[in-house]
Amino acid sequence: TGDDAPPGNGELSRTGWILVSRDGGASWVRSRRPFHISGNGAFRQRSERLAVSPTDPNLVLFGSRREGLWRSSDGGLNWEQVPESEVPAGVQRSEEASPGISFVSFDPEDASVAYAGVSGDSVYRSSNGGQSWTSVGPQLAEEFGAFEGTVVDGLLFVSMNGLDGAAVGSLQRYDPERGRWSDITPESDRTEWSVAVQPTQPDHLIAMDSSGSNGSVWRSTNGGRTWTQPEISTRSPDIGWIDASDIFTWLSVGRVLFDPVDPDQIWFAEGMGVWTARSVFSGDQLELVVTSRGIEESIVSDLLAVGTSSPVSAIADRQGFLHENLDQYPRLPLVDDTFAGGTDVDYSGGDPTVVAWVGAEYQRYWDDKRESRGAISRDGGASFSRFENLSPQQFGGNIAVSAGDADNLVWQPSYYLSAWEYTDKPKSTFVTTDGGINW
């Protein structure tokens, strides 16, 4: 755990820790050595960097972003680095998160066998519990990383993902008995992949690209020789606002795995929580159902509650909500169904039923074709109307509503193209006197 920033031209920060529990999670101790974790940085998805031996809980492997491969023989308290002359540290980037060692995995049926993926280099194999390592290929260019690493029936399945958003990724299977790699990629030009392998039938595969949405999921029952695509639908039986959002257009892939007990069920870790699907090889449909409650961390930028009105929040990634009942999940996103972060809300002191909201499409920070996000409500946040005639510079930031004239609003955007641009090139302050029609 930890959220270290890239070092840039400065020192490498080590504020992250590996946490260890020996009582099922009731209590925890931390490793005696801190690490550079960068848990919210790029390349945080799909890659499992920590692996515990299936037969010896004291044997743990950790693939770091910037400090190479590490091995613990006391359950994660003390660590010894595998020499970088034996396993390199992988691709390093000064100004952004590094992929480094992109996965570590044990063979669940032979705990002496372990694998480590090294971005921009190769896949390494150990046959003695991580004490020594050798490269088993393939040789990777600097723009590729070997992610995931699932071992089923002695075969290693790896997603070779592009690191720059342009390089076309692939799915590869390694047979250690033959020393041979096989390309099992669906016919597609995707840059990133995730693959789940059925534990009892390694020829049964589910693959996703960087999204688990319709058009981004494939199935194979012959080891990847041929693939078909089911129609994807989503359902959220407990959390209303998820069904009312546009989340189904982009289900961010954390990792997809088969259930170890039910061989026809998959579990899917996604940005808003955990989803599951049953009967995954039956019929033309695949329904993903939200199963998590309260896992997603809500980053609240502002919260207002006025008189007897329901509280209104501005929340990163999901706009915010009208909280009609604090004991239940919100029914709807605040403004509309679009993926956007809420950066501020304000109300008029003279007429608290007037509430203004501003936000930002975070995934389009550097796209000058993005839409500005701002809206006004005249019923305490129950419904909103989008502001009109906005410029691309009206992006995030803060908004204030006059107490004397609820049609008079002042909007101070945040930055536009650079995270530091607002410090040396302040943007204009925008004002409307007609409730957001003209600025």
Side-chain angles (χ1 to χ4, degrees):
T1 181
D3 194 22
D4 298 272
N9 296 322
E11 292 289 326
L12 179 68
S13 63
R14 294 183 179 89
T15 63
W17 299 90
I18 292 172
L19 304 181
V20 181
S21 174
R22 295 184 179 276
D23 53 15
S27 62
W28 297 83
V29 295
R30 68 184 188 183
S31 55
R32 296 198 173 112
R33 183 193 190 280
F35 288 94
H36 180 93
I37 300 294
S38 194
N40 200 42
F43 316 113
R44 65 188 180 272
Q45 293 169 291
R46 286 171 290 283
S47 178
E48 298 294 346
R49 303 176 184 273
L50 192 67
V52 183
S53 165
T55 58
D56 180 4
N58 287 316
L59 176 56
V60 189
L61 298 174
F62 172 58
S64 74
R65 288 181 177 271
R66 297 183 179 271
E67 301 168 85
L69 180 63
W70 294 75
R71 184 178 187 273
S72 173
S73 58
D74 62 2
L77 292 180
N78 293 286
W79 293 87
E80 180 180 3
Q81 185 178 6
V82 175
E84 290 188 20
S85 59
E86 192 171 338
V87 178
V91 172
Q92 302 294 302
R93 296 175 170 179
S94 61
E95 299 292 340
E96 54 186 314
S98 291
I101 307 294
S102 39
F103 82 82
V104 289
S105 298
F106 282 98
D107 185 334
E109 298 178 2
D110 184 356
S112 65
V113 174
Y115 293 92
V118 181
S119 59
D121 186 271
S122 183
V123 174
Y124 288 75
R125 186 177 191 267
S126 174
S127 58
N128 54 14
Q131 296 183 58
S132 61
W133 299 80
T134 56
S135 171
V136 295
Q139 183 60 48
L140 298 176
E142 188 171 342
E143 64 266 27
F144 288 97
F147 285 76
E148 296 192 346
T150 301
V151 185
V152 177
D153 197 26
L155 302 173
L156 173 69
F157 296 79
V158 180
S159 54
M160 304 295 186
N161 292 339
L163 303 179
D164 58 4
V168 175
S170 68
L171 294 178
Q172 303 284 333
R173 182 181 62 222
Y174 175 66
D175 185 341
E177 289 190 1
R178 300 181 181 182
R180 187 173 70 185
W181 287 90
S182 302
D183 191 323
I184 58 170
T185 315
E187 292 187 16
S188 176
D189 59 355
R190 304 299 200 268
T191 63
E192 299 179 34
W193 289 97
S194 181
V195 61
V197 187
Q198 200 173 63
T200 57
Q201 299 184 79
D203 280 345
H204 286 209
L205 311 173
I206 296 289
M208 296 182 180
D209 57 30
S210 53
S211 173
S213 308
N214 206 34
S216 295
V217 180
W218 288 259
R219 299 185 296 199
S220 176
T221 56
N222 56 17
R225 291 192 296 275
T226 60
W227 298 85
T228 59
Q229 286 194 282
E231 289 289 325
I232 303 300
S233 61
T234 60
R235 183 166 59 90
S236 176
D238 299 314
I239 305 175
W241 68 263
I242 291 182
D243 272 340
S245 73
D246 67 351
I247 191 172
F248 60 90
T249 64
W250 185 266
L251 292 168
S252 176
V253 178
R255 188 77 187 269
V256 56
L257 294 168
F258 275 92
D259 189 293
V261 176
D262 181 355
D264 208 22
Q265 180 180 5
I266 59 170
W267 293 89
F268 169 40
E270 188 269 336
M272 290 297 112
V274 178
W275 303 65
T276 192
R278 299 178 183 274
S279 303
V280 294
F281 292 104
S282 302
D284 298 328
Q285 304 286 325
L286 187 63
E287 183 185 56
L288 293 169
V289 181
V290 182
T291 63
S292 57
R293 294 188 176 186
I295 288 179
E296 164 65 7
E297 296 178 352
S298 295
I299 302 172
V300 180
S301 54
D302 202 4
L303 183 67
L304 64 86
V306 185
T308 59
S309 300
S310 298
V312 176
S313 60
I315 291 179
D317 289 346
R318 290 297 160 186
Q319 298 187 5
F321 302 100
L322 177 69
H323 299 271
E324 299 169 286
N325 187 330
L326 298 183
D327 296 322
Q328 297 178 6
Y329 294 106
R331 295 182 301 108
L332 301 168
L334 189 62
V335 177
D336 54 29
D337 64 357
T338 307
F339 178 87
T343 61
D344 195 33
V345 286
D346 191 36
Y347 66 95
S348 170
D351 183 0
T353 63
V354 177
V355 176
W357 170 90
V358 290
E361 295 183 5
Y362 299 125
Q363 80 280 21
R364 302 178 68 185
Y365 266 141
W366 296 277
D367 183 353
D368 58 7
K369 296 179 181 180
R370 66 168 180 248
E371 288 189 54
S372 298
R373 303 290 302 176
I376 191 167
S377 170
R378 299 187 184 278
D379 53 14
S383 62
F384 279 82
S385 299
R386 292 277 298 273
F387 290 142
E388 302 177 45
N389 302 314
L390 300 180
S391 75
Q393 292 174 319
Q394 288 172 273
F395 185 72
N398 298 91
I399 194 162
V401 187
S402 168
D405 180 359
D407 286 331
N408 184 7
L409 296 88
V410 178
W411 185 349
Q412 178 64 59
S414 52
Y415 46 91
Y416 181 34
L417 292 179
S418 161
W420 304 105
E421 188 173 343
Y422 74 95
T423 61
D424 53 15
K425 297 179 182 178
K427 297 303 174 187
S428 300
T429 298
F430 291 83
V431 178
T432 180
T433 58
D434 57 14
I437 299 175
N438 297 287
W439 294 85

